Amino acid sequence: MLPRWLDDEEFLEPDPKAGDDEAPATRGPAWWRPGQRVGPKTLAVFSRQFAVLLDAGLPLLQSLEILSVEGQHPGLRKVLLQMRAEVEAGSGLAEAMKRRRRAFNDLYVNLVAAGEASGALHTVMDRLATHIEKVAKLRNQVRSALTYPVAILTVAAAVVFLILWKVIPVFQHLFDDMGGNLPILTRIVVGISQFIGAYVLVLLALAGAAAFATKRLLGTRRGRTAADRLLLRLPVAGKLMLRIVAGRTCRTLSILLSSGIPILSALSIAADAAGNVVVADALRTVRLEVEQGRPINQSLRRTGIFPAMLCQIVYVGEQTGTLSPMLTRIADFYEEEVDNDVDSMMKLLEPALISILGVVIGIIVISMYLPMYSALTQIG
């Protein structure tokens, strides 16, 4: 299962029967409800358009009305129409967004509230659009890097399984007619084929049960924590994932601080948006220590999770009073590092996967031809 932050954010229209504090999602799975799913790209376009309209001097209600015209994403359009009605009735924009947590997360709502309070809502919306675009770009890069090896491994596993299940038994009958002792490699492959043929239904049932149990386990906090901790400890992927999460966290903190959000609230929101339970818990610990008076860089260093360079940059930002720009720079640096790492991994993965697939298929082919070669040698 992919990390949560790799999943497209779902923006669902609220249930009119729900309370004001939070509108739960419409019943039923999201994947089949037409017009309900809105990806980051749509939200980024909405934020950018909203910023342009506000910067042009249009009133808030008129801007919402223009953005809710036909052609807009159906789910988002209905949300905007409902929000416009509430704002027209006297509700604040951030307050209306807060009632629709499925459409706008805490980061979005808090930034909009800060923009309303400071009178710079158009600037905040522009920052949000840039932030969402960068996060979506990073998500697409990582997805592209993961899709190729996963597809290759899936196809390779299916081909090997079919060969062992259907093809090897044909050779086995031929070997039985030939008689004699089979080479050890051939006996191993034939034994695996016999086991698969005898227990294929059991193996498929076990695979399905394992997938279901894994999904349920990852749905629990303990399981997700263990999976995220294991992901961060992997030799190569762990380093890449840490850079991704660190860059995302720095970007979130930077946009929050530059919009006037207090540091304690910014740390809480960044923890919710981290996408990794281990990093989120570390950020909540940092928040508690900062609340008690400890500098941010020391709290980050004490967690033992964040890179030393990030802690050093935060220290410089605290000392110079330029924490937000420093966080933006370190986020840009990590994004560039992730780009380079993904490119390097893709260049190495392709030959590695082809080599592994070739070795597996080669072993099976050699094991089938060894008895024939032995028989031809004896005849000769």
Side-chain angles (χ1 to χ4, degrees):
M1 178 177 288
L2 294 176
R4 288 173 298 173
W5 65 270
L6 282 178
D7 296 334
D8 282 338
E9 296 171 288
E10 291 182 7
F11 304 106
L12 307 176
E13 61 184 67
D15 187 349
K17 298 181 181 180
D20 290 340
D21 292 336
E22 179 175 355
T26 309
R27 293 184 179 180
W31 55 266
W32 65 267
R33 293 196 299 271
Q36 298 284 324
R37 189 176 180 87
V38 182
K41 183 178 179 180
T42 301
L43 189 64
V45 172
F46 158 74
S47 303
R48 189 76 71 189
Q49 293 173 342
F50 201 11
V52 171
L53 293 176
L54 294 175
D55 191 33
L58 272 69
L60 179 61
L61 289 176
Q62 187 177 356
S63 300
L64 290 174
E65 184 178 2
I66 293 174
L67 292 174
S68 60
V69 297
E70 293 291 342
Q72 183 67 271
H73 186 279
L76 183 59
R77 178 174 177 269
K78 180 173 288 189
V79 169
L80 293 178
L81 288 173
Q82 294 172 349
M83 286 172 47
R84 183 188 180 282
E86 293 183 10
V87 172
E88 190 175 14
S91 177
L93 179 62
E95 185 180 353
M97 289 181 174
K98 190 175 182 179
R99 296 193 183 102
R100 292 157 179 85
R101 296 183 183 274
R102 294 280 184 168
F104 307 100
N105 56 23
D106 289 339
L107 171 65
Y108 208 101
V109 172
N110 280 275
L111 287 176
V112 170
E116 285 185 300
S118 63
L121 185 57
H122 65 281
T123 303
V124 169
M125 297 305 298
D126 194 59
R127 291 174 181 171
L128 275 170
T130 302
H131 175 72
I132 296 171
E133 289 168 355
K134 288 183 177 293
V135 172
K137 178 183 176 182
L138 180 61
R139 180 187 292 114
N140 292 333
Q141 287 177 338
V142 178
R143 275 184 173 176
S144 300
L146 292 176
T147 299
Y148 179 78
V150 169
I152 293 296
L153 291 176
T154 302
V155 173
V159 170
V160 172
F161 183 82
L162 289 175
I163 290 175
L164 292 173
W165 182 23
K166 294 296 184 180
V167 178
I168 300 302
V170 177
F171 285 89
Q172 182 182 351
H173 296 310
L174 177 61
F175 298 152
D176 293 339
D177 295 337
M178 292 172 55
N181 295 326
L182 297 176
I184 180 65
L185 183 61
T186 305
R187 292 202 301 270
I188 293 174
V189 174
V190 170
I192 296 175
S193 175
Q194 291 175 342
F195 178 80
I196 292 176
Y199 300 101
V200 59
L201 296 180
V202 177
L203 292 174
L204 293 177
L206 288 176
F212 178 77
T214 302
K215 184 176 181 180
R216 291 295 299 271
L217 181 63
L218 292 177
T220 63
R221 177 172 178 80
R222 180 177 298 181
R224 173 60 68 176
T225 302
D228 287 346
R229 183 176 290 111
L230 176 63
L231 189 62
L232 292 176
R233 291 179 178 177
L234 292 177
V236 178
K239 186 177 180 180
L240 175 63
M241 187 57 60
L242 181 59
R243 288 179 176 176
I244 292 172
V245 177
R248 179 188 179 104
T249 301
C250 291
R251 181 77 63 188
T252 303
L253 285 173
S254 174
I255 189 175
L256 288 168
L257 295 176
S258 63
S259 301
I261 304 296
I263 182 62
L264 296 179
S265 300
L267 287 171
S268 297
I269 298 171
D272 295 335
N276 185 289
V277 177
V278 178
V279 175
D281 291 342
L283 288 173
R284 294 187 181 98
T285 303
V286 170
R287 182 194 181 280
L288 292 176
E289 294 186 359
V290 171
E291 190 176 14
Q292 297 170 1
R294 188 184 299 275
I296 303 175
N297 71 92
Q298 292 184 11
S299 301
L300 291 173
R301 200 183 303 273
R302 282 166 58 88
T303 62
I305 294 177
F306 299 97
M309 184 179 67
L310 189 153
C311 300
Q312 185 65 29
I313 292 294
V314 171
Y315 170 76
V316 174
E318 286 183 294
Q319 295 299 314
T320 59
T322 58
L323 183 57
S324 178
M326 287 295 182
L327 289 172
T328 300
R329 292 182 182 181
I330 193 66
D332 293 336
F333 170 78
Y334 280 131
E335 288 175 0
E336 292 179 3
E337 289 293 307
V338 169
D339 290 343
N340 297 331
D341 290 344
V342 170
D343 291 339
S344 300
M345 288 180 61
M346 289 300 295
K347 292 178 181 178
L348 293 176
L349 274 176
E350 184 172 356
L353 291 175
I354 294 176
S355 299
I356 293 173
L357 181 58
V359 169
V360 173
I361 299 298
I363 290 175
I364 295 176
V365 172
I366 292 174
S367 66
M368 294 299 99
Y369 278 94
L370 277 177
M372 300 180 187
Y373 178 77
S374 300
L376 291 176
T377 303
Q378 292 176 2
I379 293 174

